[in-house]
Amino acid sequence: MMKLELTEKQYRRLLDMAYIGNWVLNSARGEDRFSDYDEVESLLFSKAPGLGMQDLAEWWNGEVVPSQAFVAGGIHEGHCGL
């Protein structure tokens, strides 16, 4: 297990990068997704509610995913105050 310490702002930027990276890798793959990238994205987003960023993550089909609010405007400055 690895421990990584980030400020809230750094964590918020990491969510953006994880979402963008996973989207680039998987958006056109349909059912043939790279599931290990989905798993990392889900793990990162699962920590958001505990950091006061519950509006950025939601449950879908038994896993944590970026919320519709995040997808609609997640990488814009000021979202969640960071």
Side-chain angles (χ1 to χ4, degrees):
M1 190 60 65
M2 182 172 135
K3 183 177 179 179
L4 179 64
E5 293 186 29
L6 302 169
T7 66
E8 286 185 17
K9 187 173 184 174
Q10 289 170 328
Y11 169 72
R12 182 63 182 78
R13 298 301 181 254
L14 183 60
L15 291 181
D16 292 341
M17 292 188 315
Y19 174 77
I20 293 165
N22 196 26
W23 186 85
V24 168
L25 287 166
N26 279 320
S27 65
R29 296 189 63 82
E31 295 296 317
D32 189 30
R33 295 177 66 86
F34 294 116
S35 62
D36 50 340
Y37 288 92
D38 288 331
E39 290 170 15
V40 171
E41 181 186 69
S42 182
L43 174 64
L44 290 171
F45 274 85
S46 74
K47 306 299 182 188
L51 296 170
M53 300 179 198
Q54 56 275 359
D55 60 328
L56 298 183
E58 62 190 28
W59 283 91
W60 185 74
N61 285 344
E63 65 182 293
V64 179
V65 297
S67 69
Q68 288 302 308
F70 180 89
V71 171
I75 63 172
H76 300 291
E77 285 297 322
H79 195 76
C80 276
L82 300 175

